[in-house]
Amino acid sequence: MTGTLVIDNIGLLISNDPSLGEGPLGLVTDAAVVIADDRVLAVEPSGSVADHRIDAAGRCVLPGFVDSHSHLVFAGDRASEFSARMAGRPYDGGGIRVTTDATRAASTAVLTDLTRGRIVEARAAGTTTIEIKSGYGLNVVDEARCLDIAGEFTDETTFLGAHLVPAEFEGRADAYVELVCSAMLDAARGPAKWIDAFCERGAFDADQCRTVLEAGRRAGLGLRLHGNQLGHGPGVQLAVEMGCASVDHCTYLSDEDIEALAGSDTVATFLPATDFSTRQPYPNARPVIDAGARVALASNCNPGSSYTTSMSFCIALAVRDMYMTIEEAIQAATSGGAAALRRTDVGRLSPGSAGHAVILDAPSHHHLAYRPGVPLIWATIGGEPQPGGS
Ligand code: NIG
């Protein structure tokens, strides 16, 4: 779009900039947001003039969601695994190999179309920035292929070769880690911005994850880690020690983990849709936030443990079951996600920020938790995932 755009007649604006309005969310009533070249030019009183105008008609506007953890590039279906879990079977991550088989067998065109469909879905649900991991290729060619596909939709691409030991390396995890850190990383370092590893019993231990992260750092990638998903473990401490931007899941946290997070720049990213879908206990975010740690919420959209792109759903779960206030949950899904990606341009609506916004078909942000399951996203404006335009 050429020229300026104004989102006018905003009943309640969540700017995430306390210098613009009330409280930590920077709440402004009767506002207008003026955008040019995908950037916010100004936040003004309603009635502002521009080349193009969207009338929010008193609705609530907030920054587009920043979903800092997803696995969108995959083929195949694991609905039967979900049903088995609902019948009492535990989640153990072993289904990653099922998706790996399906993903390796799919053509690039099919995988790209499948990913595009999920991006369209995420965008309709208000996501304007999304991180996408590989991790269902688990060989040199397919990991690079998945990262190339991810790169068509986002700059936030993550190499997750250390997701699970593939079947052909059964019993030879160290040999697989060596491959991840050599030929696989060589092929991934171009299309990937980040490197990640799954630090969990049954996946990779702390030493193996440290080896992978160190190799990634040498290759110039930023660091992230899956940790403390299925039980207490060394993931959080390792992520803090390595200076990871984020440690994701954090379902099981000890007091020492919380203390370490609070004294670090590592964001604790909660993925409550995963706890929902795997019947894990929800983590209590209260002591984490009260200790001063930075937190984010993300979808973890993947075919095994969390097949949803809905950040609104994650917000509702976080408020209902993780004891976040609605304000904390919204921040975690916007500026918190931005912090987990070490971004300052997204997750807020204030002069100079990205012009990525969501218009809710509701008068206030409270409705995101108050009306769970209702499609409240009236419009999604700007943002990276725009296949075929907004
Ligand atoms: O974040 N924890 C590891 N990876 C995904 C699950 C992948 C799968 O089950 O396919 C997760 O939950």
Side-chain angles (χ1 to χ4, degrees):
M1 183 186 294
T2 53
T4 52
L5 165 73
V6 63
I7 310 172
D8 199 15
N9 212 1
I10 298 170
L12 182 64
L13 172 70
I14 292 163
S15 67
N16 274 348
D17 182 344
S19 74
L20 291 181
E22 186 199 319
L25 292 184
L27 299 174
V28 189
T29 52
D30 297 320
V33 175
V34 184
I35 297 167
D37 291 332
D38 205 33
R39 292 276 139 196
V40 173
L41 276 184
V43 174
E44 298 178 343
S46 271
S48 190
V49 177
D51 300 322
H52 307 274
R53 179 174 185 268
I54 296 174
D55 184 357
R59 293 180 172 88
C60 177
V61 171
L62 64 150
F65 295 127
V66 180
D67 185 351
S68 59
H69 186 134
S70 88
H71 307 247
L72 292 195
V73 187
F74 65 86
D77 180 271
R78 282 161 56 197
S80 58
E81 216 185 271
F82 173 79
S83 301
R85 279 203 298 277
M86 294 307 105
R89 198 171 156 174
Y91 174 81
D92 66 0
I96 292 170
R97 283 186 181 173
V98 174
T99 302
T100 299
D101 288 347
T103 303
R104 287 176 178 176
S107 70
T108 299
V110 164
L111 272 180
T112 305
D113 280 352
L114 288 168
T115 307
R116 182 178 295 110
R118 294 169 193 134
I119 289 281
V120 168
E121 186 182 286
R123 189 170 170 75
T127 295
T128 50
T129 301
I130 193 161
E131 180 263 14
I132 304 179
K133 300 176 198 300
S134 63
Y136 293 118
L138 306 188
N139 62 32
V140 176
V141 169
D142 291 301
E143 280 296 299
R145 196 162 69 100
C146 291
L147 284 165
D148 283 336
I149 293 168
E152 289 191 31
F153 302 102
T154 184
D155 294 335
E156 303 297 341
T157 49
T158 301
F159 170 43
L160 181 58
H163 198 189
L164 200 75
V165 176
E168 62 272 23
F169 277 86
E170 181 69 49
R172 296 186 296 130
D174 285 338
Y176 180 67
V177 167
E178 225 176 284
L179 176 67
V180 169
C181 296
S182 53
M184 219 184 273
L185 178 57
D186 284 345
R189 66 193 303 173
K193 176 174 176 181
W194 302 95
I195 190 163
D196 195 345
F198 185 13
C199 187
E200 199 75 48
R201 221 171 309 121
F204 298 93
D205 65 26
D207 287 342
Q208 291 164 336
C209 290
R210 187 182 288 104
T211 301
V212 168
L213 294 179
E214 280 171 348
R217 175 181 280 152
R218 281 195 299 275
L221 302 182
L223 311 186
R224 341 185 49 77
L225 192 67
H226 286 62
N228 303 52
Q229 174 181 4
L230 303 174
H232 290 281
V236 166
Q237 299 290 341
L238 177 64
V240 169
E241 171 202 320
M242 297 288 298
C244 289
S246 175
V247 56
D248 298 37
H249 284 287
C250 296
T251 299
Y252 295 89
L253 294 178
S254 64
D255 292 347
E256 293 72 29
D257 291 335
I258 293 172
E259 201 182 318
L261 286 165
S264 79
D265 285 340
T266 300
V267 173
T269 300
F270 295 113
L271 311 171
T274 313
D275 306 311
F276 172 89
S277 175
T278 57
R279 282 240 165 98
Q280 296 268 109
Y282 293 98
N284 183 353
R286 244 342 340 117
V288 185
I289 293 173
D290 292 345
R294 190 77 210 257
V295 301
L297 284 170
S299 74
N300 188 25
C301 181
N302 77 77
S305 67
S306 180
Y307 199 1
T308 182
T309 50
S310 174
M311 292 293 280
S312 303
F313 178 56
C314 299
I315 288 170
L317 290 177
V319 171
R320 164 67 175 75
D321 290 309
M322 292 169 54
Y323 303 98
M324 285 192 186
T325 65
I326 180 71
E327 287 77 15
E328 288 166 345
I330 286 177
Q331 282 197 307
T334 52
S335 53
L341 295 172
R342 299 256 155 106
R343 299 264 303 259
T344 54
D345 58 328
V346 294
R348 63 188 171 96
L349 286 170
S350 62
S353 77
H356 304 170
V358 164
I359 305 179
L360 292 185
D361 199 4
S364 81
H365 50 297
H366 296 269
H367 284 234
L368 284 168
Y370 170 50
R371 306 195 67 212
V374 177
L376 292 179
I377 309 301
W378 190 70
T380 305
I381 295 154
E384 292 156 353
Q386 294 186 66
S390 60

